Amino acid sequence: MTREEAAAGFSAMGSEARLSVLQMLIRAGEGGLTVSGLQDRTGMAPSTLAHHLKFLAGADLIVQTKDGRTVINRADFDRLRGLADYILRECCADVARKVANDG
């Protein structure tokens, strides 16, 4: 994952409303939620929710699939794990470097 890809993913989560929607989809698991299911849980107006879903999908944080006339929204767990790995990949590197230099 490039720095630009990571920044786009984290930026998409930079809104309290989008983060809330994403967390609901994470809690829903692989089954995901319909748009109406998300509306029921968030109380967001349809146009507002559609805007946030479009933003999350554009950053590849969610996957949307059609089942007839229904759209199922799912968190992209692989992408989210990739973002977590990206931000944590250098965890404690300076501590290890300091120990090596002091030793």
Side-chain angles (χ1 to χ4, degrees), residues 61-72:
L61 297 178
I62 66 169
V63 176
Q64 297 178 304
T65 55
K66 281 196 154 208
D67 183 11
R69 294 174 59 190
T70 303
V71 176
I72 307 294

Side-chain angles (χ1 to χ4, degrees), residues 22-36:
L22 184 59
Q23 287 176 313
M24 286 180 195
L25 292 174
I26 290 168
R27 282 194 297 270
E30 294 293 336
L33 292 168
T34 63
V35 173
S36 63

Side-chain angles (χ1 to χ4, degrees), residues 5 7 9 11-12 23 35 39 42 49 60 69-70 92 98 100:
E5 290 169 330
S11 176
Q23 287 176 313
V35 173
Q39 281 179 279
T42 64
L49 181 57
D60 296 326
R69 294 174 59 190
T70 303
C92 309
K98 183 177 181 336

